Amino acid sequence: MRQDEVEILLVEDDPADVELTLHALRNNLRNQIYVARDGEEALDFLLCRGPYSSRSFDHPPRLILLDLKLPKVDGLEVLREIKKDARTRAIPVVVLTSSKEEKDLVNSYRLGTNSYIQKPVDFDQFRETVKQVGLYWLLVNEPPPKALFTP
Amino acid sequence: MPATAPAPRESLEQRLRALEETQRATLNILEDFDSEKARLEETHRAALNVLADFDEQSARQVVTQRATLNILEDFDSEKARLEAAQQAALNILEDFEAEKAKVAATNVELSEEVAERKRTEQALARHTKELARSNAELEQANQTLRQRTSELQAVNAELETFTYSVSHDLRAPLRHVDGFSRILVEEWGGQLDPAAHQYLQRIRAAIRQMAVMVDELLHLARVGRQELRQQVTGLNSLVEEVLRDLKPEMEGRQIEWRIGSLPFVDCDPGLMKQVFANLLSNAVKYTRPRPAALIEVDAINHNGQPAVFVRDNGVGFSMKYADKLFGVFQRLHRAEDFEGTGVGLATVQRILQKHGGRIWADAELDKGATFYFTLGTSESIPAEEPAPESVRGEP
């Protein structure tokens, strides 16, 4: 997969969650999903730096699925960086996490998340949720115009 | 001299001076008297002399005799004046005695006052010392309190972290077990015999149960931390909302609801709704074996305080286990008979405690159960109260 063709950036450290999420998106958009395993990798990818310095801001992912509890740089910090930077601000972010703690909700929305979803324990519900999120943001939602990413 | 009105102490010296003057005046008068007497004697002598010259001077004698009589008259009036002066002196002495007694009395009063003041000062000193000691004790207590507070804050922070951990970390493996067992069924189901399918189903049922338990436990912890958002709320409206929510559970059931007039109370409506949701859904659940269920919700006066009760004619429980009723994960029924996690009533109790109220139950096995609760503190509620059967009198 070419990194410039990524449609969904999944930021998730837990391999089981990665596998279940990919399973849920199978038959839908699986081929265009890129997985970052911690917050640092997610930021490097999005801000086209370090191992991803060859990437271009012109081809942002169309959706970021962001877990909150991540090694190195946590999800809220990733969210803060993304929304602070004019080159990444317009990318829709869906927080997808185990937590429904009020402080996580408050902080996420305060930092500008576009959506917040608690991962359902029931796999059928989880699969349905992930599928709907993918379909909505990639097919229903009108993406931000390219001009927004080249200020 | 007339007796004077009681005079202030300062004028005593003046009075004494006046007294001395009067005495001196008296002495002067007495002295005058003596000289008068001497003059009289001299006059007598002169009179004798005059008498000796009587013959030659009879006319002058008459005159002299008259003069003598005049002098004697003078003497009498002088004597009267003297007596008056003496009387005045005696009066002054009497006044002086009275004044002296008054001064003595005043002195006694004064010394009593001084003694009293001394006693007061001693008491004051004692109290000051006690106050200083109390202050030191208070400071010590404050110190302890500050320490406890910071310990409590540390424990709370720890609890917060723990709760967050439970919320985040325990749910993840549950999700994984459920997800992979589901995938197993979907992708390899064809190769599994029915027994294997059964086991997989039980795995997923257990996962669901545990997920509910984790959620309810988190909810219980959250209720404990949550600030009350109180407002005056009609409890009947909360009951109505709960009944609407319970409709799916009541489908196909014959339940008679008897809802009385409930009070308006100052409470957190969100949390109070949870109390009713719990108690009413329990009533619905535990009357399931009854072909005609009867559930009553009403208010009574319990020791002068409004208490709300929820009564059902369900399966009830033995009062032997009543103390376990509100414990976390405590259940009085088998899971295969009545589903549940054993967190609901613990949460209800927590909510009512936060409101300063309490909950208790009265039940009989196979006859039904009644749950009573109060909101707001009341010293009049005894530690262990029998279930009130009727309206009690005012305290």
Side-chain angles (χ1 to χ4, degrees):
Chain A
M1 174 183 35
R2 286 191 53 209
Q3 287 174 3
D4 281 353
E5 289 169 358
V6 167
E7 296 206 296
I8 297 176
L9 175 68
L10 174 63
V11 189
E12 174 64 72
D13 65 314
D14 189 317
D17 270 325
V18 170
E19 192 169 344
L20 290 172
T21 308
L22 295 182
H23 197 276
L25 289 169
R26 192 167 61 174
N27 306 329
N28 292 295
L29 311 138
R30 193 175 185 176
N31 291 335
Q32 287 104 343
I33 298 171
Y34 190 80
V35 181
R37 297 294 303 276
D38 59 52
E40 190 185 48
E41 190 185 1
L43 286 176
D44 284 347
F45 180 91
L46 289 164
L47 300 171
C48 310
R49 65 191 191 192
Y52 300 97
S53 49
S54 61
R55 277 193 73 244
S56 158
F57 281 100
D58 293 345
H59 297 90
R62 292 182 57 193
L63 175 66
I64 300 169
L65 293 176
L66 181 64
D67 190 14
L68 287 186
K69 209 176 173 200
L70 296 168
K72 296 189 197 171
V73 180
D74 74 17
L76 289 175
E77 197 50 45
V78 171
L79 184 60
R80 188 196 313 274
E81 293 295 321
I82 296 170
K83 294 299 182 186
K84 206 171 68 184
D85 198 310
R87 298 166 299 184
T88 52
R89 188 179 297 149
I91 309 171
V93 176
V94 173
V95 170
L96 189 60
T97 178
S98 290
S99 157
K100 209 174 70 179
E101 283 296 295
E102 181 157 309
K103 69 168 195 236
D104 284 334
L105 272 158
V106 167
N107 286 331
S108 298
Y109 278 112
R110 206 167 263 163
L111 291 173
T113 189
N114 301 80
S115 178
Y116 188 108
I117 289 163
Q118 185 190 28
K119 297 172 186 168
V121 168
D122 183 283
F123 183 66
D124 290 335
Q125 284 178 39
F126 176 78
R127 180 158 49 189
E128 190 55 29
T129 303
V130 170
K131 205 172 94 182
Q132 277 183 19
V133 166
L135 288 176
Y136 174 80
W137 287 103
L138 269 58
L139 299 178
V140 180
N141 186 55
E142 199 67 51
K146 269 219 152 94
L148 275 174
F149 300 103
T150 49
Chain B
M1 185 183 272
T4 50
R9 238 180 310 127
E10 298 89 65
S11 70
L12 188 60
E13 275 181 12
Q14 287 173 349
R15 280 169 182 284
L16 286 174
R17 249 196 321 275
L19 191 60
E20 274 167 16
E21 271 166 28
T22 314
Q23 270 178 324
R24 249 196 315 277
T26 312
L27 288 173
N28 287 344
I29 290 166
L30 287 171
E31 263 173 34
D32 285 359
F33 178 67
D34 277 347
S35 67
E36 206 69 39
K37 206 174 142 194
R39 264 173 56 208
L40 194 61
E41 278 164 6
E42 211 175 78
T43 312
H44 267 292
R45 262 193 309 275
L48 287 173
N49 290 342
V50 169
L51 284 170
D53 293 341
F54 181 66
D55 286 340
E56 317 133 60
Q57 296 177 5
S58 59
R60 272 172 58 200
Q61 195 183 19
V62 174
V63 174
T64 309
Q65 268 181 327
R66 204 174 290 135
T68 305
L69 285 173
N70 285 349
I71 287 166
L72 282 171
E73 255 171 43
D74 283 358
F75 173 73
D76 277 346
S77 69
E78 204 67 35
K79 203 178 141 197
R81 263 173 57 208
L82 190 65
E83 275 168 4
Q86 267 180 326
Q87 189 54 50
L90 284 173
N91 283 349
I92 287 170
L93 279 171
E94 248 170 48
D95 283 359
F96 176 69
E97 282 304 320
E99 206 67 37
K100 215 174 118 188
K102 246 187 262 165
V103 169
T106 311
N107 270 346
V108 168
E109 273 172 29
L110 210 62
S111 62
E112 268 170 14
E113 216 168 274
V114 167
E116 176 63 30
R117 185 170 294 182
K118 210 168 268 176
R119 275 197 299 276
T120 310
E121 272 167 12
Q122 278 166 355
L124 198 67
R126 212 165 42 239
H127 285 152
T128 307
K129 211 180 279 176
E130 275 169 22
L131 203 65
R133 206 171 39 241
S134 296
N135 266 345
E137 278 169 16
L138 201 65
E139 184 48 42
Q140 179 66 38
N142 269 343
Q143 183 62 34
T144 312
L145 198 65
R146 273 196 291 275
Q147 198 181 327
R148 290 273 181 285
T149 307
S150 78
E151 280 171 11
L152 203 63
Q153 277 165 348
V155 170
N156 266 345
E158 205 173 296
L159 193 69
E160 190 96 354
T161 315
F162 173 77
T163 307
Y164 188 83
S165 243
V166 168
S167 157
H168 202 280
D169 298 350
L170 282 192
R171 288 171 58 92
L174 290 179
R175 207 170 49 240
H176 302 158
V177 175
D178 191 65
F180 290 121
S181 58
R182 179 79 202 181
I183 292 169
L184 193 60
V185 172
E186 283 173 5
E187 297 184 5
W188 284 276
Q191 300 170 38
L192 298 173
D193 65 31
H197 277 284
Q198 266 289 328
Y199 285 132
L200 280 167
Q201 253 170 33
R202 287 170 76 166
I203 288 171
R204 299 195 71 207
I207 291 300
R208 269 195 296 276
Q209 170 84 350
M210 187 157 168
V212 172
M213 280 161 84
V214 166
D215 283 349
E216 288 189 357
L217 206 54
L218 281 172
H219 180 66
L220 177 62
R222 221 173 278 140
V223 163
R225 291 204 307 271
Q226 197 174 324
E227 294 278 323
L228 289 184
R229 291 173 192 142
Q230 280 179 287
Q231 62 185 73
V232 176
T233 309
L235 296 184
N236 276 100
S237 67
L238 293 184
V239 169
E240 278 164 30
E241 278 179 45
V242 169
L243 286 180
R244 272 199 296 276
D245 296 345
L246 281 177
K247 269 218 171 90
E249 287 180 47
M250 297 192 282
E251 222 162 278
R253 295 273 312 274
Q254 197 202 321
I255 301 172
E256 182 188 344
W257 290 92
R258 284 186 198 159
I259 315 285
S261 176
L262 305 178
F264 280 77
V265 293
D266 198 20
C267 66
D268 185 317
L271 291 177
M272 272 313 292
K273 188 183 165 183
Q274 289 178 33
V275 167
F276 281 112
N278 213 285
L279 295 179
L280 297 188
S281 73
N282 274 353
V284 169
K285 179 161 72 180
Y286 293 109
T287 52
R288 207 157 46 204
R290 301 280 181 262
L294 172 63
I295 302 173
E296 288 173 81
V297 186
D298 212 338
I300 53 159
N301 184 323
H302 174 70
N303 292 346
Q305 199 185 19
V308 175
F309 71 82
V310 176
R311 177 176 291 143
D312 67 59
N313 65 342
V315 296
F317 54 86
S318 164
M319 284 300 280
K320 210 163 38 172
Y321 306 114
D323 59 321
K324 294 188 170 182
L325 214 48
F326 302 102
V328 178
F329 293 142
Q330 297 282 357
R331 300 215 58 215
L332 300 186
H333 299 277
R334 291 183 191 165
E336 60 262 42
D337 296 334
F338 295 100
E339 69 289 352
T341 54
V343 186
L345 283 177
T347 307
V348 166
Q349 186 181 45
R350 194 76 196 86
I351 291 172
L352 292 171
Q353 280 170 349
K354 271 186 92 83
H355 281 83
R358 55 195 316 277
I359 182 166
W360 66 99
D362 183 29
E364 201 180 327
L365 194 58
D366 217 32
K367 292 272 169 64
T370 309
F371 285 85
Y372 300 87
F373 68 83
T374 57
L375 286 165
T377 48
S378 171
E379 292 76 26
S380 59
I381 293 184
E384 45 180 296
E385 63 287 292
E389 284 302 315
S390 59
V391 174
R392 301 254 172 117
E394 293 297 317

